[in-house]
Amino acid sequence: MTWLVSPPEQSLAMILADNGFDVWISNIRGTRFSTRHMTLDPSTPEFWDWTWDDLVFHDLPAIIEFVFKQTGQKIHYVGHSMGTLMALASFSEGKLIDKIRSATLLSPIAYLSHMTTTLGVLVARAFVGEITTIFGLAEFNPKGEPVSNFLKALCTDPEVDCYDLLASLTGRNCCLNNSTVELFLKNEPQSTATKNLVHLAQTVRDGILSRYDYGNSDFNEEHYGESKPPIYDLSKIPRDLPIYLSYGGEDALSDVKDVETLLDNLKLHDEDKLHVQYIKDYAHADFIMGETAKDIVYNQIISFFRNQQ
C-alpha cells in the first residue's frame, strides 16, 4: 500500500512503470494482503511465530526468485525502512546477489540505537520486556483493541504527541499532502508478528544487528548451535554491488548517526558503486509519500538504474 497511496505522478512505482520498467510490488508477511498459508491460519499463534530473520532467509529470496523466473532478468531492488533491513541482511549472508542488478535503500534501517522517535523508544522499551507475556498476543494488529489500548497507555506520556501519530513515529516529515496521509492512515500500519517487534526492539537495545535472541543461552544453543545469536556482518556485502542509499536529516527512525554506522560498514565498498544522498529536511515518510520526492529522489534513482543496465 505504501507505494500506492500517493497520486500516480508522485508514486515511485507508477513513475518507474511510466519510464518503461517492469514493476513488481511485494507485501510483507502478515499484512492483510499476505495472510494465506499452506497449513496455518492467521487466527493461530503458530502463524505469527516469525521475525525479520524469516523475511531475510525465506520471504525475500522467494520473492526475488519468483520475479527472476518470470522475467529472466536481474532485478533492481527498491526497499524502504524494513525493506532495506531485509535486503542488507540478505546481501550480507550472500543471498540474492546473483539475481540483483542494483539496490536502492530509502530511509535505511540496520542499526536503531539512536532512534529519536519518542513513541518508538517507548514501544522498544516495552518490547524488550518481552511484551508477549503481558499481551499473550502473537499478532500485533495496530487497529485491534488490545494494541489500541497499549498505544493509548503510551500516549499518556507527556513527550508523545499522539495527535500527530505519524510524526511521533517517523519524525517531522516536510513534504506530505494531508489527503495522502489520511489515505495512508486508513490503510496503515498493518499487522506484524509481536515476535518481530521484539526482535526489532533487541536491535534498538543491543546496538548490533543479529538474529533473534531467544533470551537464554540454552534456547539460542538449540536454534543456532551457539549461546548468542549470530551477527549479520554488513561488511560482507559484495563491494561491487551497485547501491543507491538515500536518508534524511529529520528521520527519527532511520537516524543520521545510525545511517553513519551503516555507511562505516560499507566503507570498503567500491567507490563508484555506492551512491549516497542526504536530504536535510526529509523524515521517514517523505521518501515514499513526499510531494517533492519525484524531483529530489526518484529522478536520481531512475538515472542510477539506467547507468546499471
Side-chain angles (χ1 to χ4, degrees), residues 3 12 16 75-81 83-85 87-88 91 100-108 241-247 273-275 277 287 297-298 300-306 308:
W3 301 110
L12 177 58
L16 286 169
I75 294 149
H76 293 294
Y77 179 85
V78 182
H80 173 260
S81 199
T84 69
L85 174 61
L88 287 163
F91 300 157
I100 295 284
R101 196 183 297 262
S102 75
T104 291
L105 310 172
L106 305 175
S107 297
L241 175 70
I243 294 175
Y244 187 95
L245 187 151
S246 189
Y247 67 113
K273 298 292 184 186
L274 180 60
H275 302 256
Q277 179 186 36
F287 288 91
V297 188
Y298 303 162
Q300 274 72 1
I301 292 172
I302 289 168
S303 301
F304 168 72
F305 285 167
R306 293 216 161 111
Q308 315 308 323

Side-chain angles (χ1 to χ4, degrees), residues 153-224:
L154 291 183
C155 287
T156 59
D157 187 295
E159 286 183 37
V160 177
D161 176 12
C162 282
Y163 291 106
D164 189 351
L165 203 55
L166 197 60
S168 295
L169 274 172
T170 63
R172 290 239 164 257
N173 297 285
C174 67
C175 306
L176 302 188
N177 170 310
N178 283 340
S179 58
T180 302
V181 171
E182 273 173 37
L183 189 57
F184 173 81
L185 291 172
K186 266 183 196 156
N187 289 283
E188 303 285 339
Q190 299 263 336
S191 286
T192 190
T194 303
K195 186 178 174 184
N196 186 37
L197 292 183
V198 172
H199 191 184
L200 288 166
Q202 291 171 356
T203 310
V204 175
R205 177 191 64 193
D206 301 338
I208 53 171
L209 204 59
S210 70
R211 306 273 306 264
Y212 182 78
D213 189 342
Y214 283 88
N216 75 43
S217 49
D218 288 349
F219 285 157
N220 285 333
E221 194 81 49
E222 196 182 308
H223 282 88
Y224 308 120

Side-chain angles (χ1 to χ4, degrees), residues 71-142:
T71 62
Q73 293 187 40
K74 285 189 172 189
I75 294 149
H76 293 294
Y77 179 85
V78 182
H80 173 260
S81 199
M82 192 146 81
T84 69
L85 174 61
M86 290 157 61
L88 287 163
S90 285
F91 300 157
S92 76
E93 293 286 318
K95 293 187 176 301
L96 315 178
I97 298 301
D98 58 330
K99 297 180 180 71
I100 295 284
R101 196 183 297 262
S102 75
T104 291
L105 310 172
L106 305 175
S107 297
I109 282 186
Y111 301 95
L112 288 165
S113 23
H114 293 94
M115 182 171 70
T116 53
T117 148
T118 321
L119 186 57
V121 170
L122 285 173
V123 170
R125 274 193 212 129
F127 275 91
V128 166
E130 303 294 314
I131 202 159
T132 30
T133 53
I134 308 165
F135 266 2
L137 276 189
E139 176 187 0
F140 189 85
N141 177 0

Side-chain angles (χ1 to χ4, degrees), residues 283-301:
H284 206 66
D286 287 314
F287 288 91
I288 39 166
M289 300 189 295
E291 291 185 289
T292 57
K294 178 182 187 288
D295 294 331
I296 296 175
V297 188
Y298 303 162
N299 288 346
Q300 274 72 1
I301 292 172

Side-chain angles (χ1 to χ4, degrees), residues 231-242:
I231 285 174
Y232 290 103
D233 182 357
L234 299 189
S235 67
K236 288 190 172 158
I237 293 172
R239 293 173 191 177
D240 59 351
L241 175 70

